[in-house]
Amino acid sequence: MKGRLLETRGFLQNVQPDEVAGARSHTYELTPPIVRGWFGGDDYIRHLVLPDFFFHISIAHAILRHLGAKIGKRDYLGNLSQQSGGDYS
């Protein structure tokens, strides 16, 4: 797993801004097993990539807890802080 993470990190560090510029306006074809069809970049991210990402994060969190890792909701959510808005106290 550590090797896979290092490989992924290396890949992401080498992605250049011009390689993803305009990705929101591209159209992507998806094939089974999950879904078949064409999606615009925004819809692809919003309706497939982000839900898939959070699904895998939550499942990994659940597996780690099941195996005895001392982690909780705060470990999953990270450090939350008020970014904007008013005083809600």
Side-chain angles (χ1 to χ4, degrees):
M1 184 164 83
K2 287 182 182 181
R4 182 78 181 260
L5 290 171
L6 289 171
E7 180 183 344
T8 301
R9 183 178 183 184
F11 171 80
L12 292 173
Q13 287 176 331
N14 289 314
V15 173
Q16 300 300 312
D18 62 322
E19 293 176 308
V20 293
R24 292 176 63 185
S25 62
H26 290 166
T27 302
Y28 301 90
E29 180 181 15
L30 303 178
T31 58
I34 295 175
V35 66
R36 176 189 302 272
W38 293 88
F39 290 83
D42 278 341
D43 287 338
Y44 175 66
I45 293 291
R46 190 175 326 124
H47 299 294
L48 188 69
V49 173
L50 286 176
D52 193 51
F53 172 78
F54 287 114
F55 167 79
H56 285 91
I57 292 294
S58 64
I59 294 301
H61 186 265
I63 291 170
L64 290 171
R65 285 181 60 117
H66 176 76
L67 294 175
K70 302 293 183 202
I71 56 176
K73 189 173 187 178
R74 179 70 63 195
D75 297 296
Y76 174 79
L77 295 175
N79 184 18
L80 297 176
S81 63
Q82 185 176 350
Q83 299 295 320
S84 64
D87 181 10
Y88 298 105
S89 56

